Amino acid sequence: MTIKDVAAYCGVSVSTVSRVLNDHPDVKDDVRQRVRQAITECGYVPNNSARALVLSRSTAIGVVSRGVDNPFLSSLIRVLSRQIHQLGYTMVLHQIATQDDEVQAAAVLQREKKLLGVIFLGGRFNYTEQELRQLTVPFVCCTYTNTFGDLDRDAYSSVSIHDEREAEKAVRYLVHHGHRRIAVLLDDPADNSIGQLRFQGYRRALEDCGIDYDPALAVITGDYALSAAYDGVCRLIDSGVGFTALMAISDNLAIAAIKALTDRGLSVPEDCSVIAIDGLDISAYTVPTLTTLCQPAAEMARESVQMLIGLIEGTGVHRHRLVETTLRPGGSVAALADT
Amino acid sequence: MTIKDVAAYCGVSVSTVSRVLNDHPDVKDDVRQRVRQAITECGYVPNNSARALVLSRSTAIGVVSRGVDNPFLSSLIRVLSRQIHQLGYTMVLHQIATQDDEVQAAAVLQREKKLLGVIFLGGRFNYTEQELRQLTVPFVCCTYTNTFGDLDRDAYSSVSIHDEREAEKAVRYLVHHGHRRIAVLLDDPADNSIGQLRFQGYRRALEDCGIDYDPALAVITGDYALSAAYDGVCRLIDSGVGFTALMAISDNLAIAAIKALTDRGLSVPEDCSVIAIDGLDISAYTVPTLTTLCQPAAEMARESVQMLIGLIEGTGVHRHRLVETTLRPGGSVAALADT
DNA sequence: TTGAAAGCGCTAACAT
DNA sequence: ATGTTAGCGCTTTCAA
């Protein structure tokens, strides 16, 4: 069943059918009706390959996701997938390992799948114009922005929280509960990414509150593996350095931290308060419930798709959308008892 | 940069280049070399649309996943994605809601994206030949098989655990630890899917161990939502019916159950043992560590892709692969103290 | 407002 | 072993 068959079926030319298919204006209303009907009756489905060939463009939007086992990104991907499909495009999902380069991956994908645009999830914050020259389609950074790079602000789009400020907010929350010996759990304080920014927020909050930074309280895991976080927190406890609270840069890390604390005989929040940033569903079911700053995942995903499609269809411009987290109070933070 | 350009570039015809591209035998070795080199030098990437058009087939494999927020399926999807890409195909991921019909969705997707085949994740167990006539490409059921349907065993493939037997194993494990009042936490005992099968396994284990089934000990949640599981277990506790152990049909549900028990002042495993089936990473970090039967997710995903591609390329036949779980002993099961 | 026809980049049958 | 060429199904000039 091709366009030709449909044309023959209702006695018009292929070009007329094509016009109807593409909502061109120059078709008489009754003819348009007839063609529409024929299309339904024949159960005709346009051949996307042929269309892509002649238009020399596909309908594919790339989603390149860093951090394969990050459940927060999984939740974003679910919404992206739905949204992209709904708007008539195809999602090409590409997950890369932590050590892989997402720009490289996107560039390859762009050529292979003729991408119209790319949404990056959880990437680096330090792209240079240089390296992005390989990428010739519009892209939007979801969950981050190009803080450490030299990109022109109107050469790309982004949807993110203000990582530094939100981390600061989390730490201040602990300080307001009387804590001053606050540990931090993160992948890497110089990852040119979320870790670095949230670590900066941690430092800034301490500074603003007149608390000295103690490097012994920083647990660096190297990645987002639960096991590394668990081991790191165990080592922190075993080191004997005193602390009454911990800020984890992600819910996942916080879950591992709570486990480590508990296994070492420390109660959360009595002996140690824990706060994080993300707002996973599952972290509402830890014991105790994790207190966390929730990112508006669905909103971020929707916004990213809208921005990108605006760019693709030429009706939008590059924008940078900053969204806010909302505190989900759990049971993992308690006021420090006076002693 | 087209095949024509490459041909001109090294002074051969397009067909020769095409032959090299498709690994046809009839090309002299030195010519093959020259063409290969030209391809690299020109940075030529074949146009998939054109190729798909002439072959009247795409390179797309559909993955239709039921149960949008199931982290076990997410982990499968990660492996599927990698595997499919590696073998030169494209994954078209389609996530559907619990109430949607996956066969319907696959049929639509098949026409829209010219799918070569479909991998179903977490679907129903009761397909009829009738409804599957819409689907004209090979498919494999990953994580389940057609227990309740009338499909010919060599009309489709499957990769799954033996749900009933594994659930039975889990319950027996509890019985061996002295438990006889064993609750079960599931979505629906008649969902024609995993819930039903694992519930049967629960029933059978009880029967074999000479324990009467008590309907009051079955917590039906309606779906896999954490909140529903939490509420259900709370109601069970509040009902005052006695039980010393609980088998959850998935890790996620078990996590919610542990939370509910703990919130109600019951200790796991002292007051109630908990066991589940899945083996999520995260459930190793609950407090206490969840004792669970781990499904070999990576193996299941790889196997599914291999089967499907075998079918697509005509080198394989329909098979039904049964994989085994492995017990991951945690801290959530204890022997029942004599009282 | 409609139709005829060129051609998008590729593969494969056929010719050499 | 290599080249020539006819389409695959569609969009889009161009002509009517």
Side-chain angles (χ1 to χ4, degrees):
Chain A
M1 180 56 55
T2 76
I3 196 174
K4 226 166 166 176
D5 301 317
V6 178
Y9 183 88
C10 62
V12 296
S13 74
V14 287
S15 19
T16 301
V17 179
S18 176
R19 286 189 187 100
V20 173
L21 242 30
N22 295 284
D23 284 324
H24 282 261
D26 289 348
V27 181
K28 256 209 306 232
D29 268 353
D30 60 319
V31 177
R32 191 184 298 276
Q33 285 307 319
R34 259 199 3 254
V35 174
R36 285 247 168 79
Q37 175 135 10
I39 288 172
T40 331
E41 281 171 14
C42 301
Y44 165 72
V45 181
N47 181 326
N48 255 319
S49 305
R51 181 177 260 167
L53 176 59
V54 60
L55 296 176
S56 62
R57 61 166 253 178
S58 72
T59 154
I61 288 180
V63 173
V64 177
S65 170
R66 190 72 149 312
V68 161
D69 31 39
N70 184 332
F72 179 70
L73 297 187
S74 301
S75 68
L76 283 171
I77 291 172
R78 280 196 288 276
V79 184
L80 289 175
S81 150
R82 187 169 306 270
Q83 187 82 355
I84 289 173
H85 188 83
Q86 226 161 53
L87 295 172
Y89 293 84
T90 302
M91 178 177 86
V92 177
L93 176 61
H94 194 82
Q95 322 226 58
I96 62 172
T98 322
Q99 68 275 11
D100 294 341
D101 184 68
E102 67 263 24
V103 177
Q104 202 73 43
V108 171
L109 214 59
Q110 178 194 164
R111 328 194 83 201
E112 281 182 6
K113 314 279 181 183
K114 301 255 178 295
L115 300 185
L116 297 172
V118 175
I119 294 177
F120 286 110
L121 253 40
R124 286 179 291 117
F125 290 55
N126 61 344
Y127 301 144
T128 59
E129 295 210 356
Q130 164 70 26
E131 69 178 311
L132 278 170
R133 266 202 278 278
Q134 317 169 57
L135 204 62
T136 55
V137 292
F139 65 95
V140 5
C141 301
C142 183
T143 71
Y144 66 110
T145 184
N146 195 50
T147 320
F148 303 119
D150 67 354
L151 254 44
D152 196 339
R153 268 183 68 83
D154 38 55
Y156 75 106
S157 287
S158 71
V159 179
S160 64
I161 61 169
H162 192 299
D163 287 290
E164 184 173 351
R165 205 189 296 146
E166 300 291 350
E168 204 183 318
K169 210 195 277 179
V171 174
R172 277 176 187 281
Y173 185 79
L174 295 173
V175 174
H176 285 154
H177 283 76
H179 297 279
R180 298 186 66 83
R181 295 289 296 166
I182 300 172
V184 62
L185 175 58
L186 75 166
D187 65 324
D188 182 351
D191 64 355
N192 278 313
S193 180
I194 294 188
Q196 182 162 348
L197 240 37
R198 296 193 185 169
F199 181 66
Q200 282 177 16
Y202 164 80
R203 294 285 304 261
R204 152 132 9 173
L206 291 187
E207 195 178 318
D208 287 359
C209 298
I211 302 173
D212 283 340
Y213 165 63
D214 180 354
L217 290 179
V219 179
I220 317 285
T221 60
D223 56 34
Y224 287 90
L226 292 165
S227 57
Y230 179 86
D231 293 343
V233 174
C234 283
R235 273 198 303 277
L236 175 70
I237 299 168
D238 297 344
S239 75
V241 55
F243 63 100
T244 65
L246 179 145
M247 193 275 279
I249 65 160
S250 84
D251 275 20
N252 240 21
L253 295 183
I255 290 171
I258 290 177
K259 175 71 170 168
L261 289 161
T262 311
D263 282 0
R264 284 292 196 262
L266 297 174
S267 300
V268 178
E270 291 77 7
D271 299 317
C272 179
S273 289
V274 175
I275 195 169
I277 302 176
D278 265 356
L280 301 181
D281 280 351
I282 195 86
S283 66
Y285 293 85
T286 53
V287 178
T289 298
L290 183 64
T291 296
T292 186
L293 299 179
C294 299
Q295 302 195 53
E299 184 190 343
M300 293 170 76
R302 270 197 305 271
E303 183 81 18
S304 300
V305 175
Q306 261 161 29
M307 280 188 179
L308 185 62
I309 291 184
L311 259 14
I312 289 170
E313 299 182 346
T315 61
V317 294
H318 281 295
R319 286 186 301 131
H320 299 273
R321 174 77 191 287
L322 214 56
V323 296
E324 301 271 327
T325 65
T326 54
L327 175 72
R328 190 184 73 198
S332 65
V333 174
L336 188 61
D338 309 284
T339 31
Chain B
M1 179 55 54
T2 76
I3 197 175
K4 227 167 167 175
D5 300 317
V6 178
Y9 183 87
C10 61
V12 297
S13 73
V14 287
S15 24
T16 302
V17 179
S18 175
R19 286 189 187 100
V20 173
L21 243 30
N22 296 285
D23 284 324
H24 282 261
D26 290 346
V27 181
K28 257 211 304 235
D29 268 353
D30 59 318
V31 177
R32 191 184 297 275
Q33 285 306 320
R34 263 202 356 257
V35 174
R36 286 250 168 77
Q37 175 136 8
I39 288 172
T40 332
E41 281 172 13
C42 301
Y44 165 72
V45 181
N47 182 325
N48 255 319
S49 306
R51 182 176 262 169
L53 176 57
V54 62
L55 296 176
S56 62
R57 60 169 252 179
S58 73
T59 153
I61 289 179
V63 173
V64 178
S65 169
R66 191 72 151 312
V68 161
D69 31 39
N70 183 332
F72 179 70
L73 297 187
S74 301
S75 68
L76 283 171
I77 291 173
R78 278 197 289 276
V79 184
L80 288 176
S81 150
R82 187 170 306 270
Q83 186 83 354
I84 289 173
H85 188 82
Q86 227 162 52
L87 294 172
Y89 293 84
T90 302
M91 177 178 87
V92 177
L93 176 62
H94 194 82
Q95 322 225 56
I96 62 172
T98 322
Q99 69 276 11
D100 294 341
D101 184 69
E102 66 263 22
V103 177
Q104 202 72 43
V108 172
L109 213 58
Q110 177 193 169
R111 328 194 82 200
E112 280 183 6
K113 315 280 181 182
K114 301 255 180 295
L115 301 185
L116 298 172
V118 175
I119 295 177
F120 287 110
L121 253 40
R124 285 178 292 116
F125 291 54
N126 60 346
Y127 301 143
T128 58
E129 295 210 357
Q130 165 69 26
E131 69 178 310
L132 278 170
R133 266 202 278 278
Q134 318 169 56
L135 205 62
T136 55
V137 291
F139 65 96
V140 4
C141 301
C142 183
T143 72
Y144 66 110
T145 185
N146 195 50
T147 320
F148 304 120
D150 68 355
L151 254 43
D152 195 340
R153 269 183 67 84
D154 39 53
Y156 75 106
S157 286
S158 70
V159 179
S160 64
I161 61 171
H162 192 299
D163 286 290
E164 184 173 353
R165 205 189 297 146
E166 299 291 351
E168 203 183 319
K169 209 195 279 179
V171 174
R172 277 177 188 281
Y173 186 79
L174 294 172
V175 174
H176 285 155
H177 282 76
H179 298 279
R180 297 186 66 83
R181 295 290 296 168
I182 300 171
V184 62
L185 175 59
L186 75 166
D187 64 325
D188 182 351
D191 64 355
N192 278 313
S193 180
I194 294 189
Q196 182 163 347
L197 241 35
R198 296 193 184 168
F199 181 67
Q200 282 178 16
Y202 163 81
R203 293 286 304 261
R204 153 135 6 176
L206 291 187
E207 195 177 317
D208 287 358
C209 298
I211 302 172
D212 282 340
Y213 165 64
D214 180 354
L217 290 178
V219 180
I220 317 285
T221 60
D223 57 34
Y224 287 90
L226 293 165
S227 57
Y230 179 87
D231 294 343
V233 174
C234 283
R235 272 199 303 276
L236 175 69
I237 298 167
D238 297 344
S239 76
V241 56
F243 63 100
T244 65
L246 179 145
M247 193 275 280
I249 66 159
S250 84
D251 275 20
N252 240 21
L253 295 182
I255 290 171
I258 290 177
K259 175 73 170 167
L261 289 162
T262 311
D263 282 0
R264 285 291 196 263
L266 298 175
S267 300
V268 177
E270 291 78 5
D271 299 318
C272 179
S273 289
V274 175
I275 195 168
I277 302 176
D278 264 356
L280 301 181
D281 279 350
I282 196 86
S283 67
Y285 293 86
T286 52
V287 178
T289 299
L290 182 65
T291 296
T292 186
L293 298 179
C294 300
Q295 302 195 53
E299 184 190 344
M300 293 168 77
R302 269 197 305 269
E303 184 80 19
S304 301
V305 175
Q306 263 161 29
M307 279 186 179
L308 185 61
I309 292 184
L311 259 13
I312 290 170
E313 298 181 347
T315 61
V317 294
H318 281 296
R319 286 186 301 132
H320 299 272
R321 174 78 191 286
L322 214 56
V323 295
E324 301 272 325
T325 64
T326 54
L327 175 72
R328 190 184 72 198
S332 66
V333 174
L336 189 61
D338 309 285
T339 31

